[in-house]
């Protein structure tokens, strides 16, 4: 799933590999996907994009957006996997969108669970896109201690740490995946109520948000996710499906996996106590 480290990585790699390439063909879905949502008629994407060249790519929270000449945009969000294949490489049989370029390379979009793809000329009014595009992420300079503490004051005291960080788009690009290592670094249990955290602990949480997300982005995303070339990210997750059986890296105790708020959480009950 695309979270902030992955969107930054995608945008960086798209800028590295796609700038100046010209679209020669656009293929609509080779197989229907019930939970892949398109903005407008996907069959019209070809007429919009054909003959247009790539100008740049940007990351906006969980969205990645490619800008083409002529004021055309193509964006995708957290559930979409995108791969760049060189000339001669075979695309998968099932895909949701395929864009071919004049040099023989192709950009392939696939969706496993759910995701959205939008080709537009600036009229895309999806509320999540608009919020991610206009807002600030935890890695932006404007995400200050004052901004963070105001966010903390805006929620009910019985809000859990996970709910605070990973719901309501308060922290753009921060989701259930990146949440795990952030809370481990901060020593905070995912279910711990915000009202039980001291000012010092809250600021420690903010420091962990910036530190962990920054490290993940600098290393090309998490090792649980793939980049534009199909390679795993360089950040070795501490709390994830990859590490659950290995024990806590601090105390060597057992890592707990638990279902909570519609997704799995991983934590060390000794290093991240529920009550202090």
């Amino acid at each position: 799933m695309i979270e902030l480290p992955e969107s930054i990585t995608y945008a960086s790699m798209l800028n590295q590999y796609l700038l100046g390439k010209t679209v020669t063909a656009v293929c609509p879905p080779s197989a229907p996907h019930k939970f892949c949502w398109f903005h407008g008629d996907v069959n019209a994407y070809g007429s919009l994009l054909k003959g247009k060249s790539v100008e740049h790519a940007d990351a906006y929270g969980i969205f990645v957006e490619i800008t083409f000449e002529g004021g055309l945009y193509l964006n995708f969000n957290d559930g979409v996997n995108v791969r760049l294949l060189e000339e001669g490489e075979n695309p998968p049989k099932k895909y949701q969108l395929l864009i071919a370029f004049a040099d023989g390379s192709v950009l392939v979009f696939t969706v496993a669970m759910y995701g959205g793809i939008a080709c537009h000329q600036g009229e895309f009014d999806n509320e999540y896109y608009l919020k991610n595009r206009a807002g600030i992420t935890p890695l932006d300079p404007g995400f200050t201690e004052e901004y963070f503490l105001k966010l903390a004051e805006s929620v009910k005291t019985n809000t859990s740490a996970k709910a605070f960080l990973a719901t309501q788009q308060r922290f753009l690009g921060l989701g259930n995946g990146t949440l795990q290592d952030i809370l481990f670094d901060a020593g905070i249990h995912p279910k711990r109520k915000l009202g039980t955290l001291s000012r010092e602990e809250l600021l420690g949480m903010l420091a962990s948000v910036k530190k962990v997300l920054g490290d993940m982005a600098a290393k090309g995303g998490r090792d649980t996710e793939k980049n534009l070339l199909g390679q795993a990210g360089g950040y070795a997750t501490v709390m994830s499906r990859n590490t659950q059986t290995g024990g806590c890296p601090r105390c060597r105790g057992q890592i707990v996996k638990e279902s909570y708020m519609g997704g799995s959480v991983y934590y060390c009950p000794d290093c991240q106590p529920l009550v202090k």
Side-chain angles (χ1 to χ4, degrees):
M1 301 295 285
I2 298 173
E3 295 185 26
L4 186 59
E6 287 71 44
S7 69
I8 290 173
T9 299
Y10 265 130
S12 175
M13 296 185 78
L14 287 165
N15 281 319
Q16 179 181 354
Y17 291 105
L18 254 63
L19 293 195
K21 289 191 176 189
T22 301
V23 177
T24 56
V26 178
C27 300
S30 64
H33 192 297
K34 186 177 180 180
F35 298 110
C36 179
W37 299 283
F38 292 98
H39 173 65
D41 181 4
V42 65
N43 294 296
Y45 286 12
S47 61
L48 289 171
L49 294 173
K50 189 174 180 180
K52 300 296 192 297
S53 62
V54 176
E55 292 188 339
H56 60 86
D58 299 284
Y60 303 114
I62 60 170
F63 284 83
V64 181
E65 186 161 78
I66 305 170
T67 300
F68 295 82
E69 65 175 319
L72 284 169
Y73 305 93
L74 182 80
N75 63 57
F76 54 95
N77 62 21
D78 60 335
V80 182
N81 300 306
V82 183
R83 299 291 177 266
L84 178 65
L85 304 178
E86 295 302 322
E87 185 175 12
E89 291 187 78
N90 294 321
K93 292 183 178 179
K94 293 183 179 181
Y95 55 79
Q96 277 60 66
L97 190 69
L98 185 149
I99 300 176
F101 297 98
D103 66 350
S105 63
V106 297
L107 202 59
V108 183
F109 299 74
T110 59
V111 173
M113 295 176 64
Y114 62 86
I117 302 171
C119 182
H120 61 97
Q121 295 173 291
E123 80 287 357
F124 186 43
D125 61 356
N126 177 278
E127 63 174 308
Y128 298 107
Y129 166 75
L130 294 175
K131 187 168 185 176
N132 276 264
R133 204 179 195 286
I136 61 172
T137 76
L139 296 182
D140 291 327
F143 206 100
T144 61
E145 287 186 2
E146 180 182 8
Y147 183 88
F148 174 82
L149 291 173
K150 283 183 177 179
L151 285 177
E153 291 170 2
S154 72
V155 302
K156 295 180 180 179
T157 56
N158 66 350
T159 301
S160 69
K162 174 179 175 175
F164 175 56
L165 291 179
T167 65
Q168 303 300 315
Q169 300 279 301
R170 281 182 282 263
F171 297 79
L172 298 179
L174 196 167
N176 193 62
T178 53
L179 170 87
Q180 315 298 333
D181 282 16
I182 289 170
L183 289 181
F184 176 72
D185 187 78
I188 296 173
H189 194 288
K191 293 183 178 180
R192 189 154 172 216
K193 304 304 182 186
L194 226 59
T196 70
L197 297 173
S198 66
R199 177 185 172 89
E200 181 181 2
E201 287 174 311
L202 282 170
L203 293 179
M205 178 191 288
L206 172 61
S208 293
V209 166
K210 289 180 172 289
K211 170 189 169 185
V212 173
L213 285 178
D215 196 22
M216 288 175 171
K219 292 178 178 175
R222 294 165 285 155
D223 60 359
T224 54
E225 306 299 325
K226 299 291 183 66
N227 64 24
L228 188 68
L229 303 182
Q231 303 160 337
Y235 174 88
T237 48
V238 179
M239 292 283 163
S240 72
R241 63 177 183 268
N242 290 355
T243 63
Q244 185 192 358
T245 60
C248 173
R250 285 183 186 156
C251 71
R252 307 316 304 172
Q254 183 179 1
I255 294 175
V256 174
K257 177 184 178 182
E258 186 177 337
S259 295
Y260 179 56
M261 292 184 61
S264 296
V265 289
Y266 299 84
Y267 62 90
C268 171
D270 294 320
C271 297
Q272 298 167 263
L274 181 56
V275 179
K276 281 195 175 182

